[in-house]
Amino acid sequence: MKPIRVLQWGLGAMGSGMARLMLEKAGLKIVAAVDERPDFVGKDLGDVLNVDKKLGIIVTNKPEEVLNKEDVDIVVIATTSWTKEQLPDLRKILKAGINCISIAEEMSDPEAQNPDVSKELDALAKEHAVSILGTGVNPGYVLDLLVVILTGGNHRVDRIEASRVNDLSPYGPTVMKTQGVGTTPEEFRAGVADGSIVGHVGFPESIHMISQALGLGVDRIEENREPIISKVYRETPHVKVEPGMVAGCAHIGIGYRGDQEVVKLIHPQQIHPHLEDQDTGDYINIYGKPEIHMAIKPEVAGGVATMGIAVNMIPHLVAATPGLKRMIDLPIPAALMGESAYSRRI
Ligand code: NAD
């Protein structure tokens, strides 16, 4: 079996983890790597990934030089959360005639907030006979695809409520800032108002995907961000939180059909939740016929699962019909274990 040739674009926390995972997969072969960080450019990928061997791939900041469809089957891009920010790079990839998986949160269903961009990407992919997908742990999996799959035997769904309670402690300074960790409650509210504190990125995409998959007819989405005020001292290498300060962001997204609340997604994210006896976990409740309650404890590990799902979807996307895809449009994700998994998917 010929391995699928991958270009890894973005070698940060996620991209480097994906690349290391691909090195373990016999059916995948990394053939090129792109990042704009000056300390990565010109280095052998093996050194950037800290894998104790040279890989013979030199990291470049000039994607044009490696975007060649004769050599590359798919690009996996892990550079930003925002569709519009990633768009110039996505255009280059599709115009080169190469498939693409993005982990940008907004790319999980670009139609939710950027319908024009969604149409453009779909048309461009079809024109060049390739496919493009946005995925990740959330959005892309836990609070959307998994919810959809759980309704598979339902006669009726009246309302969905799902929550993901997680621990932000492993993340770096960017996440601390965008979640408002370490601010005062007043600074938090000011940050939400001026857009510097965003909480979770992905509720409109997840709710839109669930509604479209089930036909729930959601016509309005509202979001609410509240500070999680700590009662105790909490600390990570990047932030210190005194009692009375903000340990995270309790973010809620609600999808309505008319006046009726049909999908409610709840995502309180904070550092060290255990210090206030809060367990992490993923919980999905489907109300209808039958009623379904699912609990996963602890949470599906965010970083690990994002790397995993992006890599596990590669054969599905290479085999997909041309166009813009969402996780609800493709065969279900599954771990890639052994050669049969690749041949079954392609
Ligand atoms: P990171 O900051 O550690 O890494 C980003 C890397 O991309 C950096 O090395 C940077 O130099 C590089 N980069 C940025 N723009 C570039 C460009 N135009 N060209 C070349 N290189 C560029 O971030 P991360 O933790 O790896 O996450 C990447 C993105 O994925 C984030 O926006 C994050 O929010 C998102 N994400 C999504 C999910 C999901 O569930 N969908 C999960 C995890 C992360």
Side-chain angles (χ1 to χ4, degrees):
M1 196 189 73
K2 261 177 60 184
I4 300 170
R5 299 160 305 170
V6 186
L7 186 165
Q8 177 61 46
W9 190 327
L11 295 167
M14 292 300 110
S16 62
M18 289 168 199
R20 276 189 290 271
L21 178 57
M22 286 179 222
L23 295 176
E24 296 170 15
K25 304 286 173 192
L28 305 176
K29 184 175 181 351
I30 305 177
V31 292
V34 173
D35 200 295
E36 61 188 14
R37 270 179 62 167
D39 53 330
F40 288 176
V41 174
K43 280 201 179 145
D44 187 277
L45 181 61
D47 295 333
V48 172
L49 299 180
N50 279 320
V51 288
D52 285 337
K53 64 173 177 186
K54 300 280 180 203
L55 297 171
I57 297 160
I58 303 300
V59 177
T60 178
N61 57 357
K62 298 191 175 64
E64 298 75 15
E65 292 178 1
V66 284
L67 280 175
N68 177 355
K69 70 175 179 187
E70 307 308 322
D71 303 320
V72 179
D73 299 307
I74 185 163
V75 172
V76 180
I77 184 164
T79 54
T80 174
S81 301
W82 318 107
T83 295
K84 284 194 173 148
E85 196 176 306
Q86 202 165 61
L87 188 58
D89 293 340
L90 299 177
R91 284 187 184 126
K92 282 183 200 161
I93 297 164
L94 298 179
K95 284 181 180 170
I98 301 173
N99 300 293
C100 180
I101 290 180
S102 165
I103 62 160
E105 285 89 336
E106 287 188 348
M107 274 300 294
S108 60
D109 190 348
E111 197 187 42
Q113 299 200 80
N114 301 296
D116 293 349
V117 175
S118 174
K119 278 199 193 85
E120 178 191 335
L121 289 172
D122 187 49
L124 208 52
K126 285 177 175 153
E127 183 187 337
H128 294 276
V130 291
S131 45
I132 176 166
L133 167 74
T135 192
V137 73
N138 182 36
Y141 185 34
V142 173
L143 287 186
D144 38 54
L145 181 69
L146 203 50
V147 173
V148 170
I149 289 174
L150 283 179
T151 69
N154 272 61
H155 294 203
R156 208 184 70 236
V157 171
D158 304 325
R159 191 168 72 81
I160 291 168
E161 184 170 314
S163 61
R164 176 163 169 80
V165 183
N166 70 339
D167 183 357
L168 289 178
S169 313
Y171 294 99
T174 310
V175 171
M176 297 305 143
K177 279 201 195 93
T178 56
Q179 297 282 348
V181 182
T183 60
T184 63
E186 296 71 32
E187 288 165 345
F188 182 94
R189 292 188 195 286
V192 169
D194 70 20
S196 57
I197 294 176
V198 293
H200 171 61
V201 181
F203 277 146
E205 289 73 16
S206 290
I207 293 172
H208 189 256
M209 244 189 292
I210 294 170
S211 176
Q212 292 245 310
L214 274 66
L216 287 179
V218 168
D219 51 29
R220 179 167 54 95
I221 294 169
E222 282 181 7
E223 293 186 70
N224 182 36
R225 299 162 183 86
E226 293 292 330
I228 299 173
I229 298 169
S230 195
K231 293 192 181 72
V232 297
Y233 179 72
R234 309 187 195 189
E235 181 181 339
T236 79
H238 303 287
V239 69
K240 292 179 171 43
V241 175
E242 299 288 347
M245 285 170 68
V246 175
C249 176
H251 194 166
I252 294 178
I254 302 179
Y256 294 89
R257 181 181 58 238
D259 291 338
Q260 202 187 343
E261 176 185 309
V262 279
V263 181
K264 183 173 192 178
L265 302 181
I266 304 162
H267 198 9
Q269 305 199 75
Q270 61 193 294
I271 59 165
H272 298 311
H274 64 279
L275 292 177
E276 290 194 28
D277 297 326
Q278 173 69 65
D279 291 337
T280 68
D282 297 310
Y283 311 92
I284 299 176
N285 300 294
I286 318 255
Y287 300 96
K289 183 183 175 186
E291 199 170 295
I292 294 174
H293 302 283
M294 189 210 69
I296 301 175
K297 290 173 78 171
E299 54 160 332
V300 175
V304 174
T306 295
M307 297 167 203
I309 203 158
V311 171
N312 291 331
M313 288 306 289
I314 290 174
H316 279 327
L317 198 75
V318 169
T321 54
L324 173 65
K325 309 290 174 184
R326 300 160 299 177
M327 290 300 282
I328 55 170
D329 302 319
L330 293 172
I332 53 160
L336 272 176
M337 304 294 296
E339 202 169 301
S340 63
Y342 295 87
S343 25
R344 201 165 27 79
R345 273 173 237 192
I346 290 198

